[in-house]
Amino acid sequence: MRLLLFGPPGVGKGTQAKLLSEEHGVPHISTGDMLRAAVTANTELGRKAKAIMETGHLVPDDVMIGIVRQVLSSPVAAQGFILDGFPRTLAQAKALSAIFDELKISDYKVVNFDVDDDEIIRRLANRVMCRNDGKIFNMETDGVTIDSPCPECGGTLFQRDDDREETVRNRLAIYQNTTAPVINYYKACGVVVNVDGMGPIDVVNREINALVTG
Ligand code: AMP
């Protein structure tokens, strides 16, 4: 299974990627998670990325392409992957095609999530993450507060800095202007499947599985 999950922030890509990764035994490769890990570890990449991420802007293409080339070329991704948050620009999409050519990968699909902006702002304002296992919860629908322990592992929950409303609006604008048009590149390649991201998690999960397997 080789999937690219494509759609605006907060649409449920991370949640679905984790489920698909567990179900199909392939790694969940999230460029956002990799950058957040670098910020926490205070590496050179993390120090550069932190200020950019806090404003909702995009980390430069050459940096992101280098990270993704490295992980896709490693044994970890040899049997498949769920790529989440990459590509976000046309340059990244073209570079990814070149990486796929180098690795002789031709069997991939792009899962395109659709959801409206108001719903996204609501979801992100209510989204919390576990510091320990990275699981994502919604304070409105999962019965947790920012002070609750993680329902899965007991870890500490937190809200991402870039999930503040002003930053969310900025991220959505960047998505509409820069990232959304990239879907046309993949439509031309004939690899896109569309899912309605508004449904409950298990319904969306079943829909994706039906579209990408069998
Ligand atoms: P995410 O967790 O996917 O929402 O990513 C969080 C932030 O990391 C984004 O708002 C960007 O600042 C940065 N980021 C993640 N992936 C990329 C990418 N492919 N290109 C540029 N910046 C990225």
Side-chain angles (χ1 to χ4, degrees):
M1 172 170 284
R2 296 186 173 91
L3 299 181
L4 319 187
L5 303 194
F6 192 88
V11 77
K13 300 188 299 293
T15 301
Q16 294 298 334
K18 285 190 180 73
L19 286 173
L20 291 162
S21 161
E22 282 163 17
E23 287 163 355
H24 298 278
V26 292
H28 169 203
I29 301 171
S30 157
T31 48
D33 284 352
M34 290 167 85
L35 291 172
R36 279 183 288 279
V39 171
T40 303
N42 197 22
T43 62
E44 196 187 331
L45 167 67
R47 285 193 293 276
K48 274 193 209 150
K50 187 172 191 290
I52 299 172
M53 292 170 77
E54 276 170 359
T55 60
H57 283 95
L58 296 180
V59 172
D61 284 339
D62 56 338
V63 175
M64 298 312 301
I65 291 164
I67 293 173
V68 169
R69 168 173 279 115
Q70 200 174 17
V71 64
L72 290 185
S73 311
S74 74
V76 152
Q79 302 309 319
F81 50 81
I82 315 285
L83 193 52
D84 161 17
F86 187 98
R88 270 172 148 100
T89 65
L90 190 56
Q92 291 181 11
K94 288 182 175 169
L96 185 61
S97 294
I99 296 170
F100 283 173
D101 284 349
E102 281 164 29
L103 298 173
K104 307 213 179 336
I105 290 172
S106 56
D107 57 334
Y108 67 96
K109 286 209 166 77
V110 177
V111 181
N112 185 30
F113 287 70
D114 194 25
V115 74
D116 69 52
D117 277 9
D118 287 347
E119 169 73 10
I120 287 174
I121 290 169
R122 250 208 16 248
R123 282 190 187 183
L124 292 183
N126 284 294
R127 174 164 85 171
V128 288
M129 237 173 133
C130 174
R131 269 195 210 289
N132 183 43
D133 64 10
K135 290 258 163 65
I136 298 161
F137 302 95
N138 184 296
M139 292 192 282
E140 226 175 36
T141 55
D142 294 329
V144 295
T145 70
I146 191 78
D147 300 319
S148 314
C150 170
E152 305 263 326
C153 76
T156 311
L157 299 181
F158 73 104
Q159 182 168 38
R160 281 170 47 173
D161 285 342
D162 59 355
D163 280 350
R164 289 187 308 261
E165 186 166 336
E166 195 190 304
T167 310
V168 167
R169 288 192 191 281
N170 201 14
R171 288 164 66 201
L172 285 174
I174 290 168
Y175 178 79
Q176 293 304 346
N177 294 331
T178 308
T179 305
V182 175
I183 201 66
N184 295 322
Y185 176 83
Y186 288 113
K187 281 187 179 154
C189 303
V191 291
V192 176
V193 296
N194 292 300
V195 292
D196 175 5
M198 299 285 275
I201 291 170
D202 56 331
V203 174
V204 178
N205 173 254
R206 275 200 298 277
E207 200 187 338
I208 298 174
N209 272 309
L211 285 165
V212 303
T213 56

